């Protein structure tokens, strides 16, 4: 049979005396605990931020936020896919021509028509001007204007040489905007998330 002892008061007194006797050690221990908690929080925050940044850069390298790309589809199939409720966001880009100006031979440049939704989801943000609205207007990056040797401003006329099935043709066009990255690959890109 065990005898019951009320040791709580004694243990509390002993603990308090121990804490009072070693105030500096206890303060250092408390500071160490706080710094350790801060360190773990900082490391977790940095790792999470790095993970988000790496994911965003990977998406940017692919050129678009869309999760699927369907190329070389017919107009009927494109319309059918755009009306399918499976897709949250659907947008169309049509590559019209390959630009063959001699000044641009070191890079691949395509002339494409795209919806505004496509441009926004492809990291194309207009800093000056507007999305092309008129015939012979286009939007491009300032690097393209620089390579063509024309002023980096909207409204400047530029001769664009492009390749068609009939050969090289040339048109005079006007930049409607600048500081816009033009990339072309897909005819149709979609976000593959089920509509709610």
């Amino acid at each position: 049979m065990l005898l019951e002892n009320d040791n709580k008061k004694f243990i509390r007194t002993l603990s308090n005396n121990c804490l009072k006797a070693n105030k500096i050690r206890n303060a250092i221990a408390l500071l160490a605990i706080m710094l350790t908690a801060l360190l773990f929080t900082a490391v977790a925050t940095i790792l999470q931020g790095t993970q988000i940044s790496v994911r965003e850069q990977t998406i940017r390298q692919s050129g678009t936020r869309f999760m699927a790309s369907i190329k070389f589809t017919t107009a009927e199939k494109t319309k059918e896919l755009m009306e399918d409720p499976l897709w949250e966001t659907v947008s169309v880009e049509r590559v019209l021509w390959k630009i063959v100006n001699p000044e641009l031979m070191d890079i691949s440049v395509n002339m494409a028509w795209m919806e505004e939704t496509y441009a926004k989801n492809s990291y194309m943000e207009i800093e000056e001007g507007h999305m092309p609205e008129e015939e012979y207007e286009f939007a491009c990056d300032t690097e393209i204007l620089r390579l063509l040797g024309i002023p980096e401003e909207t409204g400047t006329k530029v001769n664009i040489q492009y390749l068609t099935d009939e050969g090289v043709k040339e048109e005079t066009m006007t930049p409607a905007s600048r500081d816009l990255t033009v990339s072309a690959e897909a005819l149709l890109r979609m976000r593959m998330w089920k509509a709610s």
Side-chain angles (χ1 to χ4, degrees):
M1 169 165 133
L2 293 174
L3 298 174
E4 292 216 12
N5 294 331
D6 189 11
N7 293 334
K8 290 181 183 176
K9 187 174 180 183
F10 172 73
I11 292 173
R12 190 178 307 117
T13 304
L14 185 61
S15 298
N16 287 339
N17 288 341
C18 188
L19 288 172
K20 288 177 189 174
N22 298 308
K23 288 183 180 179
I24 295 174
R25 183 193 69 188
N26 295 334
I28 292 172
L30 182 62
L31 182 63
I33 292 168
M34 289 173 25
L35 288 175
T36 303
L38 180 67
L39 175 70
F40 282 124
T41 303
V43 168
T45 303
I46 290 169
L47 289 176
Q48 184 179 18
T50 302
Q51 181 184 17
I52 291 168
S53 179
V54 166
R55 186 179 326 125
E56 184 72 16
Q57 289 305 317
T58 304
I59 291 171
R60 282 181 179 267
Q61 286 175 352
S62 74
T64 178
R65 288 185 185 101
F66 291 111
M67 301 299 173
S69 174
I70 300 175
K71 299 180 182 183
F72 312 114
T73 183
T74 63
E76 295 81 28
K77 188 66 177 172
T78 300
K79 185 177 181 197
E80 181 184 322
L81 288 167
M82 290 182 78
E83 293 172 353
D84 192 328
L86 175 67
W87 311 111
E88 180 184 288
T89 305
V90 179
S91 191
V92 176
E93 175 196 33
R94 287 190 180 85
V95 177
L96 306 173
W97 318 296
K98 176 167 178 48
I99 305 300
V100 292
N101 286 48
E103 303 91 344
L104 303 174
M105 293 309 278
D106 291 340
I107 59 173
S108 177
V109 181
N110 293 317
M111 182 69 73
W113 172 89
M114 66 186 67
E115 295 175 340
E116 193 167 345
T117 305
Y118 184 90
K120 286 180 181 174
N121 282 287
S122 297
Y123 304 97
M124 298 180 193
E125 297 175 9
I126 294 176
E127 291 183 9
E128 182 183 310
H130 57 85
M131 287 295 282
E133 297 166 353
E134 304 293 327
E135 191 174 10
Y136 300 112
E137 277 189 333
F138 71 97
C140 74
D141 192 288
T142 52
E143 183 64 15
I144 301 295
L145 297 177
R146 189 188 65 73
L147 289 171
L148 289 170
I150 62 173
E152 295 177 10
E153 54 189 46
T154 59
T156 305
K157 302 283 185 196
V158 60
N159 289 329
I160 300 290
Q161 298 171 8
Y162 56 94
L163 189 61
T164 67
D165 292 337
E166 294 93 37
V168 176
K169 294 188 176 183
E170 187 169 335
E171 296 287 346
T172 301
M173 299 186 163
T174 306
S177 65
R178 63 181 187 84
D179 291 339
L180 176 74
T181 304
V182 177
S183 65
E185 283 294 330
L187 293 177
L188 179 66
R189 294 183 190 258
M190 291 166 277
R191 273 210 181 132
M192 290 178 50
W193 293 318
K194 187 136 177 95
S196 51

